[in-house]
Amino acid sequence: MIDGEGPDDTSLRPNQVLAISLPHAVLDPSRWSRVLDVVTERLLTPMGLRTLAPGEPQYKPRYDGDLRSRDAAYHQGTVWPWLVGPFIDAWLKVHPDQPAAGA
């Protein structure tokens, strides 16, 4: 969940993977396994992690069209390959004895 000036954003995004993958993780370790389970199930693709889970109201399945359409889709489901690095780092923290199981 993201807490800001407007209503809380409870949409499923890869932010917590980053919070686990940091050298000094900022997410409580008791939550790591469940976060990775959900991210693996809903955000992981063969090309990277989605920036928003399918089924969320703002989800855009395609990054195409004119500049305005692309800008609107940029953080709304686009798959970013670079997020695989933090995902793997988080996976290795949660599953140190099974590094290949989630790949």
Side-chain angles (χ1 to χ4, degrees):
M1 175 178 356
I2 298 174
D3 188 15
E5 293 179 15
D8 291 347
D9 181 354
T10 60
S11 56
L12 179 56
R13 298 182 180 276
N15 304 31
Q16 290 186 356
V17 168
L18 298 172
I20 297 169
S21 71
L22 296 169
H24 301 286
V26 295
L27 184 65
D28 188 283
S30 67
R31 297 175 182 247
W32 293 1
S33 184
R34 181 66 181 132
V35 165
L36 278 184
D37 288 347
V38 172
V39 167
T40 300
E41 179 184 322
R42 307 243 349 255
L43 298 180
L44 184 63
T45 76
M47 301 302 289
L49 293 182
R50 291 182 178 95
T51 54
L52 182 64
E56 297 285 352
Q58 299 297 321
Y59 179 73
K60 306 280 189 248
R62 297 176 57 110
Y63 178 78
D64 62 4
D66 62 18
L67 179 60
R68 185 174 182 174
S69 297
R70 291 191 316 269
D71 283 350
Y74 196 65
H75 293 283
Q76 306 298 353
T78 300
V79 174
W80 287 3
W82 74 267
L83 287 170
V84 168
F87 175 81
I88 291 170
D89 290 342
W91 178 270
L92 291 172
K93 283 184 167 184
V94 173
H95 305 286
D97 297 330
Q98 352 168 343

